[in-house]
């Protein structure tokens, strides 16, 4: 995505810099459902009830959660990881996510290095991680 942020001001500045200039939808980084700042604040993009525009062929059946930062050489903050887990739990409690949801990384379904090698390794240990095939084991080596 971009460099990380640790203050509200920096996170909002980054979100606004990625917001489409000529859109009626004034949600930050409007393709994602939610964005998590390095400060642990969850920012609403399209939210739970609107289809995202984050991953071709998966938007109609997924929630896109982006973490602000590039995670190739530095991992996400503890605050980001904690807030992301709480957001997922919130989705389950609100019945916006099924208890048996599948957690995948963007790199598994799109030609991208998102979410970054270090974040990808972290989420592979989270509950509900879903591996499509042996291909997932090769992804890390391709970064």
């Amino acid at each position: 995505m971009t460099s990380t942020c640790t203050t509200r001001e920096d996170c909002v500045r980054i979100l606004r810099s990625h917001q489409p200039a000529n859109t009626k939808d004034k949600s930050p980084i409007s393709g994602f459902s939610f964005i998590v700042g390095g400060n642990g604040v969850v920012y609403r993009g399209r939210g739970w009830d609107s289809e995202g525009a984050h991953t071709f062929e998966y938007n109609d059946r997924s929630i896109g959660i982006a973490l602000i930062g590039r995670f190739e050489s530095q991992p996400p903050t503890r605050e980001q990881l904690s807030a992301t887990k709480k957001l997922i739990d919130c989705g389950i409690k609100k019945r916006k996510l099924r208890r048996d949801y599948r957690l995948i990384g963007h790199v598994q379904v799109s030609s991208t290095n998102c979410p970054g090698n270090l974040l990808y390794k972290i989420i592979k240990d989270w509950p509900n991680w879903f591996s499509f095939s042996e291909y997932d084991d090769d992804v890390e080596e391709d970064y």
Side-chain angles (χ1 to χ4, degrees):
M1 175 182 253
T2 185
S3 58
T4 193
C5 59
T6 56
T7 67
R8 183 182 191 289
E9 294 78 22
D10 285 345
C11 292
V12 169
R13 180 184 48 75
I14 289 170
L15 292 172
R16 286 190 178 143
S17 74
H18 287 283
Q19 186 177 25
N22 59 352
T23 183
K24 291 179 184 176
D25 181 0
K26 292 300 180 187
S27 299
I29 313 180
S30 58
F32 292 101
S33 306
F34 299 94
I35 304 96
V36 183
N39 56 353
V41 173
V42 176
Y43 300 91
R44 186 180 58 83
R46 294 193 177 197
W48 297 113
D49 298 318
S50 295
E51 184 175 315
H54 44 81
T55 309
F56 182 68
E57 295 186 351
Y58 285 84
N59 294 320
D60 62 343
R61 60 183 184 269
S62 64
I63 298 295
I65 303 172
L67 278 65
I68 297 176
R70 289 196 174 117
F71 305 110
E72 286 98 22
S73 61
Q74 187 173 15
T77 66
R78 283 179 293 186
E79 293 85 359
Q80 274 179 305
L81 297 173
S82 176
T84 303
K85 288 178 178 181
K86 288 178 184 175
L87 177 63
I88 293 169
D89 289 343
C90 176
I92 293 168
K93 289 176 186 166
K94 290 183 172 218
R95 297 182 181 199
K96 303 297 182 177
L97 292 174
R98 298 182 332 215
R99 288 197 178 281
D100 65 344
Y101 69 91
R102 292 179 174 178
L103 176 65
I104 64 172
H106 198 187
V107 68
Q108 291 174 271
V109 293
S110 185
S111 180
T112 180
N113 67 350
C114 178
N117 194 33
L118 296 178
L119 177 54
Y120 187 71
K121 285 180 181 179
I122 291 168
I123 64 174
K124 285 174 73 171
D125 289 332
W126 286 11
N128 295 56
W129 168 256
F130 182 76
S131 177
F132 287 106
S133 67
E134 291 178 19
Y135 164 79
D136 294 335
D137 294 330
D138 296 333
V139 170
E140 293 178 57
E141 297 169 14
D142 291 341
Y143 276 105

